[in-house]
C-alpha cells in the first residue's frame, strides 16, 4: 500500500478548521500530521476530528519536521507568498489558499522556486476539481453552445464586519482578491482564453474593494462580472453562444450555496439539467494534489494559470481606480 501524503497546516484559520482540515483528513492518500498554532483554543477545535494531531507552536518548526511531506497554507492573504516560499525552501510541497499572491508579478517568484525545487506548489482553486466545471469545459470545447459570444459571472455576499481580515487595511482583502479569483479564474479555466482590453468600476474602502463591476474583451467573446462583499449572496456563471447557453447555478460554493447544477440549453424548448449532489470539491482537490505529488499526474490549476487570474485582478484595480 502506498504511504499517504503527510500534511502540516500552517495556521488555524476558521476555513481550515471547517473545510480544508476535514478535507485533508477525509481524502484518500492523505493524512494530517501536525498543525502550527499558538492558540490552544483553536488547536482544540481541530482535535475534535483529528485526535492524534500534533501541535507545533512555531511555524518554522513545522516546516523543519521530517514527518511532513506537504504544507497547507490558510494564512491571511498578505502572508501567502512568504510562507509558500519558505515551505518550498524547506523541501515541502505546498497548497496555498487563494489568492496565492496579491499581484501577478509575485507569482513569478513562486514559479521559479517551484521549478528549482522540483516540488508541487499550487493555489487552492478547488472549483477546477469539481465535475461540473470539468463538464462545462468539455462542452465548451466540443462546441455545444456553438460560437461562444458572451460570458457573465456573478459572485456576491454580505460582510461588513470591521474585525474580519477582508475588511482591514494592509491584509490583502476586499472582494476582487477574495472572490474575484473565481469570477475570473473560472472563465480562464473553462475557455483557455485570455482577455484584451478591460474596464472596471470599483468602490474602494481604503486599500480594498467592496464592489467591482468589470468588463473585458476576449478574442472571441465579451465578458462581464459583478463581485461584491456588500450585496446579498448570489453566484452564477453563464456561457452564451450562438447556438446555446450553459448556466452554472452554484459554480463556486457547490454544496454550500446550493446543489451543483449545470443547465444546458441548445435548441428551442430543449433544456437539460445535470446535477452533482454530495460532491466535496475540497476532498477532490486534495486527492488530485496527492496524486500529482505521488505519480506526477498533471495538476488542473497551475501557477501559470493562477498568474492569469491575478493579472485580471491587477488590471481591474489599475483601470477601476483611475
Amino acid at each position: 500500500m502506498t504511504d499517504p501524503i503527510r500534511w502540516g497546516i500552517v495556521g488555524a484559520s476558521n476555513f481550515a478548521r471547517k473545510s480544508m482540515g476535514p478535507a485533508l483528513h477525509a481524502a484518500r492518500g492523505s493524512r494530517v500530521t501536525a498543525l502550527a498554532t499558538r492558540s490552544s483554543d483553536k488547536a482544540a477545535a481541530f482535535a475534535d476530528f483529528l485526535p492524534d494531531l500534533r501541535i507545533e507552536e512555531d511555524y518554522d518548526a513545522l516546516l523543519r519536521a521530517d514527518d511532513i511531506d506537504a504544507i497547507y497554507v490558510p494564512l491571511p492573504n498578505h502572508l501567502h507568498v512568504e510562507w509558500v516560499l519558505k515551505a518550498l525552501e524547506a523541501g515541502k510541497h505546498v497548497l496555498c489558499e487563494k489568492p496565492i499572491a496579491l499581484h501577478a508579478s509575485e507569482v513569478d517568484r513562486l514559479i521559479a522556486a517551484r521549478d528549482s525545487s522540483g516540488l508541487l506548489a499550487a493555489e487552492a482553486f478547488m472549483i477546477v476539481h469539481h465535475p461540473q466545471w470539468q463538464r462545462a469545459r468539455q462542452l465548451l470545447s466540443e462546441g455545444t453552445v456553438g460560437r461562444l459570444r458572451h460570458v457573465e459571472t456573478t459572485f456576491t455576499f454580505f460582510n461588513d464586519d470591521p474585525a474580519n481580515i477582508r475588511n482591514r487595511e494592509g491584509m490583502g482583502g476586499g472582494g476582487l482578491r477574495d472572490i474575484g479569483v473565481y469570477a475570473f479564474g473560472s472563465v480562464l479555466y473553462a475557455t483557455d482564453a485570455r482577455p484584451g482590453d478591460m474596464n472596471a468600476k470599483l468602490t474602494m474602502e481604503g486599500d480594498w474593494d467592496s464592489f467591482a463591476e468589470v468588463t473585458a474583451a476576449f478574442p472571441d467573446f465579451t465578458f462581464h462580472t459583478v463581485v461584491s462583499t456588500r450585496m446579498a449572496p448570489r453566484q452564477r456563471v453563464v456561457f452564451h453562444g450562438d447556438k446555446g447557453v450553459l448556466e452554472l447555478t452554484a459554480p463556486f460554493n457547490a454544496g454550500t450555496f446550493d446543489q451543483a447544477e449545470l443547465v444546458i440549453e441548445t435548441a428551442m424548448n430543449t433544456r437539460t439539467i445535470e446535477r452533482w449532489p454530495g460532491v466535496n470539491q475540497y476532498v477532490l482537490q486534495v486527492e488530485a494534489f496527492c496524486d500529482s505529488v505521488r505519480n506526477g499526474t498533471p495538476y488542473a490549476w497551475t501557477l501559470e494559470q493562477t498568474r492569469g487570474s491575478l493579472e485580471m485582478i491587477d488590471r481591474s484595480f489599475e483601470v477601476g481606480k483611475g
Side-chain angles (χ1 to χ4, degrees), residues 73-243:
V73 180
L75 297 170
N77 295 344
H78 67 296
L79 299 176
H80 287 176
V81 169
E82 174 188 357
W83 286 97
V84 170
L85 290 173
K86 286 185 175 182
L88 291 172
E89 290 167 1
K92 314 297 186 187
H93 304 280
V94 57
L95 180 66
C96 179
E97 271 310 315
K98 51 76 193 165
I100 202 170
L102 299 186
H103 301 285
S105 59
E106 295 177 308
V107 181
D108 295 335
R109 297 171 60 198
L110 304 182
I111 291 173
R114 176 202 65 188
D115 292 347
S116 64
S117 68
L119 299 165
L120 176 58
E123 183 179 61
F125 195 56
M126 73 288 183
I127 67 169
V128 301
H129 305 285
H130 196 291
Q132 69 169 339
W133 275 104
Q134 295 168 357
R135 177 67 167 152
R137 178 182 165 96
Q138 174 194 4
L139 291 171
L140 290 169
S141 69
E142 292 174 351
T144 299
V145 302
R147 179 184 175 188
L148 183 61
R149 302 306 301 268
H150 181 69
V151 180
E152 189 86 21
T153 70
T154 304
F155 199 175
T156 61
F157 67 91
F158 192 88
N159 177 0
D160 64 353
D161 178 5
N164 190 284
I165 61 173
R166 296 168 180 82
N167 301 324
R168 291 164 57 187
E169 292 274 350
M171 305 291 281
L176 282 173
R177 291 193 174 105
D178 187 37
I179 54 179
V181 292
Y182 298 115
F184 297 149
S186 61
V187 178
L188 301 182
Y189 170 76
T191 66
D192 283 328
R194 293 294 181 270
D197 292 339
M198 292 182 60
N199 289 290
K201 297 178 181 178
L202 306 184
T203 299
M204 300 297 298
E205 303 194 23
D207 66 357
W208 51 274
D209 61 291
S210 59
F211 173 88
E213 181 182 17
V214 181
T215 59
F218 282 75
D220 297 318
F221 60 89
T222 56
F223 169 81
H224 174 262
T225 191
V226 169
V227 171
S228 179
T229 58
R230 293 290 193 276
M231 296 174 70
R234 180 173 173 80
Q235 48 185 274
R236 286 289 190 278
V237 175
V238 178
F239 297 94
H240 200 153
D242 60 5
K243 298 185 183 303

Side-chain angles (χ1 to χ4, degrees), residues 255-275:
T256 302
F257 177 77
D258 204 348
Q259 177 177 248
E261 292 187 350
L262 176 60
V263 181
I264 307 166
E265 299 177 353
T266 56
M268 187 68 68
N269 299 321
T270 300
R271 192 169 189 262
T272 304
I273 301 177
E274 299 183 7
R275 299 182 175 94

